[in-house]
Structure formats: structure tokens, C-alpha cells
């Protein structure tokens, strides 16, 4: 893999970035220490494993064709030491200090002349836990692909990749002309017509769903200060499942209901009037097919009103579940949430010059990003040190102050909240409200035993 054009959606993410709005994903992985495994050894291990991931050796360069396009090129001067660094945290509560520093590091855009990623080993002053902060540009990967790339640092995945084995020999392919045949031309034309029709449908949905009156704002909408604050929370996954078994829907529905209730608690606690209209959440949906291409972003999304005005927790959950059921019935390629599909149909030049306008228009569609990131279910480690938790982090769109990402590992739902540091200085209170909301929701529902 030496040259590869950026797909339209990847190109959109690349051009949406500005100094105040870096477009990278992140994850804070927290590990328990093991006697005899020192920080310099872990840093070397991180560098070796990251350097062995081909995707992490690629950088972006402009190309002549298509006009306005860009491509991934292998960086011939790649030096992993530019990307993997160690920071020793000051004395204090480890997770608090790690969150503080991770927020500061997430503020900083990735260098555009290098492969767009970084890893930081956040080390305790003593023999306590440590963390690895991973930053990957959104043009490099969506959430699922980011997990696949980042997983290469873990012992279990790295050893499997280095295990060798006999490669399966491919059957010989008959030589063929690079010119498509008449049936292929017809098929390509039909596919293109389908894409145009789909884009027109999505475009119409976007226009219908756009809000032109943005005067009724909440703390979720704010001018960007360029600062970032990170807070984390952990929820019991079995409690989420118990609520799901009683109330129906999916675990993700329950978590979206918890987010809605936590926002309500937080707004009331800070003396903020509840909005007259439900704030909209953009809920990403993967369009990645099993066994399909592993490169690029394959995303759509649903739009969901978060019922923060509803005082009853079970009714909030019912409203969320019904809203998600309607979204799923329509499918990920219909509705304004599928704006990412529309981006796939635009030429490269449109992304280059239209990205600032598109970024500013995000607030017309949604108020908050809430995304779930799937993780491997098996236990993971780095240098023999067991992984305790992974807190995912999502980028902020222009005009928005909060993004929430969730992942499940080790029987816990880990929540990463990324906010504009000046707009939401009390982000820790919102993180605490998530646990309070799940606890209250759990007490309201009758207990249904897990299936045998």
C-alpha cells in the first residue's frame, strides 16, 4: 500500500479541520502496572508496534487529479519517535491528572505534514497505573477502523499478527483489459444513477430537518474557544442490560436514555432553563460491511431528539426507544442524519472549498454527538500490563460544546466526554450525572432475571 486516494468523506474530514476544531478521534486506555515492567520498556514497545502498522506510516498529500483531491502516500522519512512520546504526570489522583492532560493534548491539531496520529504514554510518578492516549485523524479512520488500527498495540493482537502461518495462495486470475465491458458500463451507469437519486433524497431531508432559527440556544451550543476538557465515567454494563431486558429496545437505547436524563439533571443543577425543543443528538451508524474494505470512513448517522424536558426517567427511555425505532425503520441511508452519505457523492473540489461552510452548518442539524465505539470482548494487555478501561473521545463540530463517546470493556461501559473547556468548565458534574441517572432508572424498573 503506497498510494491511495482519500475517499470523499475522508477528504471532507481532512478539510473540515481548523486550529480551533481539530478533527481527530481519541482514546484514553488505562492499564494496571505489573512489577518489573518499566516506562522506558513500554515506550519502546509502543513505538515498535505502532511502526509495524502499515496504515500509521501513511501521510496525506495533494494530487493533481481529481482536482482538489488528496491521497495517502507512504512516508519515506517515517520516524516513529515523532509520534510516540512519554509524559510523567504530577502527583495526585491518577485518572484526574490523566483526564486533565488528555484534554490539553486533544486541543492540539495533528501535524499535517506527517502521518496524522500520535500516542502518549502517560506515566504515574510512582509505581501506579499508566495510560496511553491515542490520537488518530478522522480522515484516517472512523470509530470502528480506529479500534482496528489502535488494537495493534496490544499483546494479543500484536502476537497474532506476528504469528506468521502459511499464507493462503490465491488462484491465478486471467489477464483482462483495463477497459470495462458493455455490461460493466451499464452496471456502473445504473449504480451512479442510484447514487444520484439517493443523494438527492438525503439532500432534501437535510434541508427539511435544518433549523433556521437558532436563537433558543443552550449550553450545548457555544463559540469555540479552541480549548478542550475531558471527563470520564464508568457505568455497570450488567445494570444497563437489566434495564434493557425490562424496558425493551437495545443497550444503546438505554445509554441514550441515560444521556438524556443526565443532561436534564446537569442543566437543572446549574440553574439553566430546560430548552423548549429537545436537543438533537447525532448518532453515528457504521456502513462498513463484514469482509469489506477496511480503509476509509464508512458512516451514516441517525438524528434523535433527547427528551430532556420529560421528568419521568422511564418515559424518557420510551421516547428514545421509539425515536430510534423510527430511525432504524427508515434505515441509515434516509433522513438528514445520512448527511455523510451525501458527502460521498460530492466531488473533491467541493470538499476543499465547501468545508468551512459545511462545518459551520453542523449546528443547524444537531446539538451533540453521541457515539458508541465497539471494542474487543477479550481481555487485553500491553507488555503484560492488563487493560483496565478505554475511554473513547470524539471531535467537536463548530458551534458545539460537547461530544460523548461510549465503549464497553470488562463488564463496564466507559464514557468519554469531550467539551469546549471554557463553555463547559463543570463537565465533571455531567459525568457524575450519568451514574446518578442509571442508578435512578434501575430503581424504577422491575427486576428481570438474566436468561439462563
Amino acid at each position: 500500500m503506497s498510494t491511495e486516494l482519500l475517499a470523499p468523506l475522508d477528504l471532507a474530514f481532512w478539510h473540515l479541520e481548523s486550529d480551533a476544531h481539530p478533527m481527530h478521534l481519541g482514546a484514553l486506555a488505562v492499564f494496571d502496572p505489573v512489577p518489573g515492567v518499566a516506562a522506558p520498556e513500554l515506550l519502546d514497545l509502543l513505538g515498535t508496534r505502532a511502526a509495524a502498522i502499515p496504515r500509521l506510516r501513511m501521510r496525506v498529500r495533494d494530487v493533481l487529479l481529481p482536482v482538489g483531491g488528496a491521497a495517502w502516500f507512504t512516508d519515506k522519512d517515517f520516524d516513529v519517535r515523532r509520534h510516540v512520546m512519554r509524559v510523567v504526570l504530577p502527583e495526585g489522583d491518577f485518572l484526574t491528572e490523566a483526564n486533565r492532560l488528555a484534554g490539553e493534548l486533544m486541543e492540539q491539531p495533528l501535524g499535517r505534514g506527517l502521518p496524522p496520529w500520535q500516542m502518549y504514554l502517560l506515566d504515574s510518578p510512582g509505581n501506579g497505573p499508566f495510560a496511553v492516549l491515542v490520537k488518530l485523524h478522522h480522515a484516517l479512520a472512523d470509530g470502528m477502523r480506529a479500534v482496528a488500527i489502535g488494537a495493534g498495540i496490544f499483546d494479543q493482537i500484536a502476537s497474532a499478527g506476528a504469528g506468521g502461518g502459511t499464507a493462503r495462495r490465491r488462484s491465478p486470475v486471467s489477464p483482462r483489459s483495463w477497459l470495462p465491458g458493455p455490461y460493466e458500463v451499464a452496471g456502473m451507469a445504473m449504480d451512479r444513477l442510484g447514487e444520484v437519486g439517493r443523494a438527492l433524497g438525503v439532500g432534501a431531508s437535510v434541508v427539511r430537518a435544518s433549523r433556521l432559527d437558532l436563537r433558543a440556544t443552550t449550553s450545548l451550543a457555544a463559540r469555540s474557544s479552541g480549548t478542550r476538557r475531558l471527563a470520564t465515567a464508568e457505568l455497570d454494563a450488567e445494570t444497563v442490560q437489566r434495564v434493557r431486558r425490562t424496558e425493551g429496545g437495545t443497550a444503546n437505547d438505554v445509554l441514550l436514555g441515560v444521556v438524556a436524563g443526565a443532561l436534564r439533571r446537569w442543566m437543572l443543577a446549574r440553574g439553566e432553563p430546560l430548552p423548549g425543543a429537545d436537543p438533537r443528538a447525532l448518532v453515528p451508524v457504521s456502513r462498513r460491511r463484514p469482509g469489506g474494505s477496511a480503509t476509509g470512513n464508512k458512516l451514516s448517522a441517525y438524528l434523535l431528539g433527547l427528551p430532556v424536558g420529560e421528568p419521568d426517567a422511564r418515559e424518557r427511555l420510551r421516547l428514545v426507544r421509539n425515536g430510534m425505532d423510527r430511525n432504524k425503520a427508515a434505515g441509515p441511508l434516509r433522513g438528514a442524519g445520512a448527511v455523510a452519505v451525501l458527502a460521498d457523492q460530492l466531488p473533491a473540489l467541493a470538499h476543499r472549498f465547501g468545508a468551512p461552510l459545511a462545518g459551520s452548518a453542523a449546528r443547524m442539524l444537531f446539538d451533540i454527538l453521541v457515539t458508541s465505539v465497539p471494542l474487543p470482548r477479550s481481555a487485553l494487555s500491553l507488555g503484560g500490563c492488563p487493560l483496565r478501561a478505554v475511554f473513547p473521545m470524539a471531535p467537536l463540530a463548530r458551534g458545539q460544546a460537547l461530544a460523548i463517546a461510549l465503549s464497553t470493556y470488562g463488564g463496564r461501559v466507559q464514557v468519554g466526554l469531550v467539551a469546549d473547556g471554557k463553555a463547559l468548565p463543570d463537565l465533571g458534574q455531567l459525568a457524575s450525572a450519568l451514574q446518578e441517572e442509571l442508578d435512578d432508572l434501575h430503581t424504577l424498573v422491575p427486576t428481570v432475571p438474566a436468561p439462563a
Side-chain angles (χ1 to χ4, degrees), residues 189-351:
M190 291 300 294
D191 288 344
R192 188 58 184 165
L193 285 174
E195 291 172 355
V196 171
R198 184 171 63 189
L200 289 173
V202 173
S205 299
V206 170
V207 172
R208 288 194 298 268
S210 298
R211 300 167 298 181
L212 300 180
D213 185 1
L214 300 176
R215 290 174 296 177
T217 59
T218 70
S219 53
L220 300 179
R223 289 191 176 185
S224 175
S225 67
T227 62
R228 292 292 181 268
R229 184 180 296 270
L230 172 67
T232 55
E234 287 195 85
L235 309 175
D236 181 59
E238 179 54 32
T239 301
V240 173
Q241 290 296 339
R242 282 196 291 267
V243 174
R244 177 198 62 79
R245 288 193 293 268
T246 302
E247 300 296 299
T250 67
N252 198 49
D253 294 342
V254 176
L255 291 171
L256 288 167
V258 168
V259 168
L263 286 172
R264 174 185 171 86
R265 290 170 180 270
W266 173 68
M267 289 177 179
L268 292 174
R270 69 197 326 240
E272 180 178 329
L274 297 176
D278 293 338
R280 285 177 173 179
L282 186 74
V283 183
V285 180
S286 176
R287 295 191 295 125
R288 195 173 298 282
R289 297 178 180 177
S293 172
T295 60
N297 283 269
K298 298 291 183 182
L299 289 174
S300 183
Y302 295 137
L303 283 180
L304 175 71
L306 296 176
V308 300
E310 171 55 53
D312 183 78
R314 292 183 74 181
E315 179 63 13
R316 281 196 298 271
L317 179 54
R318 187 190 69 82
L319 292 171
V320 165
R321 188 177 66 243
N322 290 345
M324 288 301 288
D325 285 346
R326 287 192 297 270
N327 279 328
K328 292 169 187 174
L333 300 184
R334 295 181 179 272
V339 66
V341 179
L342 182 62
D344 268 339
Q345 314 304 318
L346 297 177
L349 200 60
H351 288 300

Side-chain angles (χ1 to χ4, degrees), residues 7 50 100 147 243 392:
R100 178 192 59 76
V147 170
V243 174

